Amino acid sequence: MAEKHDLLDDIIDITNNWGAVTKPVETVVNGISFDPETAPQWDPSKYKERPRPNSVRCLSVASKDPKACTKCQDVCPVNAISITETALTVNESCRKCGLCAAVCPTEAFLIQKLMPKTLYNSIAKQAASHDHVYITCTRALGRIPKENEIVLPCVGALSKELWFSLFMEYDNISVYLPLGVCDRCRTTTGEEAYTDAISYAEELTGAACGLEVDEKALDHEYSRAYKRSQFLGQVARTGTNLVAGHNAAINGAQAVAQRIQNHTKRVNELTRSLEQAVGVQNSQHHRRMLTQRRELVMAALQKWSEPAKQMKSELPTCDMSKCTMCGDCTEACVLHAIELDRDGKIQIEPAYCVGCGVCARVCKEGALEMHPTDGSALVVPDPHAEEIERERAEVRKLKQQGKKVLDSSLKALGDTFGEDSSSKK
């Protein structure tokens, strides 16, 4: 349901249109001087990048078993990925779709444009400032994207963890794919990849991803909250003249940037808290590693922990009567979530374990077995939670006070306009 248009919205509309009224000559000159040849051209290759494989992070290479984990090969539409006991490689037939990076549990593929944190920030920025943000692909769009259109080589390049993290924070994210576009695409595994990932995130969060198939229906409007933030920030800076100044967008952009910075800060604090709780290194002096996707999920769960109980995963358990302490499982775990401690016992740090099962696969004695678990271990207590909550309460209090002052000012302004109108009559 649309929010009621009030006096502040009317003033904002006047401000947004003021530039065109006060500078009509400049507006006309800009239109006449436009040179199509110097304008940016649509280049789909700009959004594609061949993945760089990291054999050190590959579970199959680490375990010396090419069949230990084949998720990247299973999703690759052109069989461009090869795995041996010594190397993970991507050959020239690669379509640069990014699906391998989205499904690899240990992030063994580096695609700079599709790094999880980078993608999250790009999408979150637009979701925080627009009524809608659209995730689409190069084939579906076929033109230079608008600000709130996020173009990927394939929508399936967005991992299930990333969808989950976004749905936990925003409710205005949609997919834009015209009818039949996936049927004609040579990235034949992409449609199944993104439907599975979105379904996973929707089930856990209770959110619903929008779907738009008609380009004419795409909405590029800034959100009401963003426009109000722009305007009020400008008013606060100038102190007077409600309809003057054309740098108001800076204020809204700063508010969005602050929200992204707060999220990044939350991720970094979570990582530090986890390292303080379990140690940066295991007993073999290997640094435990969190994937970027795991960091985003844990940051979301730190703020809203309820979905953790619904998360389905598996953790290894060890029958020490069968264990020979050969260390094969620790060698196979590239994230170093499993270790042999100083007492000769197998220890697992659930927050770092992605449930891939490779440790159990390489255990010749069958001492390790995978057992179902939920995501409770991913909820890391925040040592500063009480302090942060006190600060939030203080901010809420100040906002309420500021709102009362603003409402009083707007009412007075409205009364003044009303008196002026009456006196003229």
Side-chain angles (χ1 to χ4, degrees):
M1 183 177 178
E3 296 181 83
K4 186 177 179 181
H5 203 85
D6 59 19
L7 178 60
L8 180 57
D9 292 313
D10 291 333
I11 297 173
I12 291 171
D13 290 341
I14 295 171
T15 305
N16 290 338
N17 294 324
W18 193 254
V21 174
T22 56
K23 299 181 180 180
V25 176
E26 181 180 328
T27 303
V28 173
V29 170
N30 287 340
I32 296 174
S33 61
F34 174 74
D35 183 0
E37 294 185 3
T38 61
Q41 300 296 312
W42 166 245
D43 181 7
S45 66
K46 176 183 176 182
Y47 304 93
K48 299 180 180 181
E49 179 183 343
R50 186 176 172 183
R52 286 181 284 167
N54 182 354
S55 297
V56 176
R57 295 288 289 269
C58 178
L59 292 164
S60 291
V61 173
S63 63
K64 297 180 174 56
D65 178 1
K67 298 299 180 182
C69 177
T70 60
K71 289 186 177 182
C72 58
Q73 291 179 318
D74 296 339
V75 80
C76 181
V78 290
N79 299 317
I81 300 171
S82 299
I83 305 174
T84 66
E85 293 184 1
T86 57
L88 170 69
T89 57
V90 178
N91 64 38
E92 294 294 332
S93 65
C94 173
R95 283 187 54 77
K96 304 178 183 178
C97 61
L99 298 180
C100 55
V103 301
C104 178
T106 57
E107 296 179 353
F109 296 91
L110 176 62
I111 304 177
Q112 204 65 45
K113 293 182 176 68
L114 301 180
M115 295 294 285
K117 288 183 180 179
T118 302
L119 269 181
Y120 178 93
N121 288 343
S122 296
I123 297 170
K125 177 181 177 182
Q126 302 308 325
S129 58
H130 289 80
D131 284 333
H132 299 280
V133 60
Y134 302 99
I135 314 297
T136 187
C137 70
T138 54
R139 186 179 180 87
L141 200 63
R143 58 167 172 76
I144 296 175
K146 304 290 186 182
E147 192 176 23
N148 63 329
E149 296 169 342
I150 307 298
V151 182
L152 304 175
C154 174
V155 176
L158 216 60
S159 69
K160 62 180 184 180
E161 294 88 352
L162 195 45
W163 281 110
F164 169 82
S165 302
L166 289 165
F167 285 166
M168 287 284 280
E169 189 88 27
Y170 302 99
D171 61 359
N172 58 341
I173 298 175
S174 298
V175 169
Y176 166 59
L177 290 172
L179 293 175
V181 69
C182 292
D183 298 337
R184 301 186 297 272
C185 183
R186 288 186 292 167
T187 307
T188 53
T189 52
E191 186 173 15
E192 183 179 358
Y194 74 71
T195 52
D196 287 349
I198 294 174
S199 297
Y200 168 88
E202 286 181 329
E203 182 179 355
L204 287 178
T205 62
C209 182
L211 174 63
E212 188 54 68
V213 298
D214 183 1
E215 184 175 359
K216 295 179 180 178
L218 298 183
D219 176 14
H220 306 296
E221 281 292 315
Y222 283 114
S223 67
R224 184 174 188 254
Y226 180 79
K227 288 189 285 189
R228 292 168 80 94
S229 175
Q230 286 180 335
F231 180 76
L232 293 177
Q234 183 67 18
V235 170
R237 290 217 321 225
T238 59
T240 55
N241 197 350
L242 295 180
V243 294
H246 301 290
N247 295 323
I250 295 175
N251 303 286
Q254 287 175 339
V256 172
Q258 185 61 51
R259 185 169 180 176
I260 301 300
Q261 289 171 7
N262 289 341
H263 179 269
T264 301
K265 183 179 178 181
R266 191 162 79 240
V267 171
N268 293 337
E269 288 178 348
L270 179 147
T271 304
R272 285 194 294 269
S273 298
L274 186 59
E275 289 175 348
Q276 290 172 4
V278 303
V280 178
Q281 296 181 335
N282 63 20
S283 56
Q284 279 88 40
H285 304 293
H286 292 140
R287 184 180 179 87
R288 296 186 177 95
M289 302 176 71
L290 275 177
T291 62
Q292 286 196 20
R293 301 201 302 262
R294 175 57 63 91
E295 286 182 325
L296 291 172
V297 168
M298 292 176 69
L301 291 176
Q302 193 178 40
K303 194 172 181 181
W304 301 283
S305 61
E306 194 61 32
K309 301 174 184 177
Q310 305 172 46
M311 287 184 167
K312 298 176 183 178
S313 185
E314 290 186 323
L315 282 177
T317 57
C318 183
D319 182 350
M320 292 307 299
S321 65
K322 297 180 180 180
C323 180
T324 62
M325 293 179 286
C326 65
D328 286 350
C329 56
T330 62
E331 291 295 323
C333 183
V334 298
L335 302 178
H336 306 303
I338 188 170
E339 62 175 313
L340 271 169
D341 65 18
R342 293 179 178 86
D343 298 324
K345 294 182 179 179
I346 293 291
Q347 298 290 342
I348 293 99
E349 289 297 341
Y352 293 89
C353 178
V354 293
C356 64
V358 173
C359 56
R361 181 184 176 94
V362 300
C363 182
K364 300 180 181 65
E365 288 74 25
L368 285 170
E369 291 185 359
M370 302 300 292
H371 290 280
T373 185
D374 61 19
S376 298
L378 303 183
V379 182
V380 179
D382 185 353
H384 308 295
E386 293 184 4
E387 179 183 350
I388 292 172
E389 187 53 40
R390 283 196 298 272
E391 292 177 356
R392 286 175 178 168
E394 184 64 24
V395 169
R396 286 195 292 269
K397 181 180 177 182
L398 292 173
K399 282 184 176 179
Q400 287 297 324
Q401 293 174 349
K403 186 176 183 301
K404 289 180 180 178
V405 173
L406 178 62
D407 288 344
S408 299
S409 300
L410 290 175
K411 185 178 184 303
L413 185 62
D415 292 342
T416 301
F417 285 162
E419 291 175 2
D420 289 346
S421 299
S422 300
S423 61
K424 288 178 181 179
K425 290 178 181 180

